[in-house]
Structures are given as structure tokens and as C-alpha cells.
Amino acid sequence: MLKDFVRDFPTVHLVIGVAGNLIFFVGSVLFVWHATAMLAIWLFVIGSLGMLLGAVGQAFYIHERHRLNGAPGRQANDDRSPAR
């Protein structure tokens, strides 16, 4: 089930990663003011998790795509011979 989700929805991983980056950035800006430091810490944590999930999902997607279609540069009829 997870493999199907990873393979069928690669855009979701990108959106999660971009949202994580945006949240991380907002958290960085909030460190400018002492009153918003606690919120900044939590946005850092949430944003970092989003970036991690986006990157891991993208890595699984690329791995699954290569497993199903072969790695780029490889010939379709022989997985051991390098591309010429």
C-alpha cells in the first residue's frame, strides 16, 4: 500500500518538502523577535520533519521508478551491460 502511494503520487512528496521549507523559513524569521521564539522552535521542528518526509518520499519514488523501469543509461535488454 505504501509503495503504491509512493509510486502513484510523486507530487505529494514535492508539496510536503516545499511546505516544510516554507515553514522552516517562517520559523527562522520568527527567531528575530524574542516573544516568538517558542513558536519559531516548533515551526523549525515541523518544517524539518516536512523536509525530511518530502526527501524520503522522493527517494522511495526514484528507487521504485528505477526498480520498475531500470536505471537511466541502462539498456532495456541487458541490465548488466553499460549503455553505449
Side-chain angles (χ1 to χ4, degrees), residues 70-75 81-84:
R74 291 215 172 186
Q75 295 176 352
S81 66
R84 294 178 195 208

Side-chain angles (χ1 to χ4, degrees), residues 13 16-17 48-58:
H13 312 299
I16 291 171
S48 298
L49 180 62
M51 290 188 292
L52 177 64
L53 291 175
V56 168
Q58 184 67 22

Side-chain angles (χ1 to χ4, degrees), residues 26-74:
V26 171
S28 299
V29 171
L30 290 178
F31 270 114
V32 171
W33 302 282
H34 181 65
T36 58
M38 186 58 73
L39 177 61
I41 290 169
W42 281 107
L43 289 179
F44 251 55
V45 171
I46 294 167
S48 298
L49 180 62
M51 290 188 292
L52 177 64
L53 291 175
V56 168
Q58 184 67 22
F60 278 127
Y61 170 74
I62 291 170
H63 172 74
E64 186 69 8
R65 188 179 65 201
H66 288 178
R67 188 182 68 80
L68 294 174
N69 301 331
R74 291 215 172 186

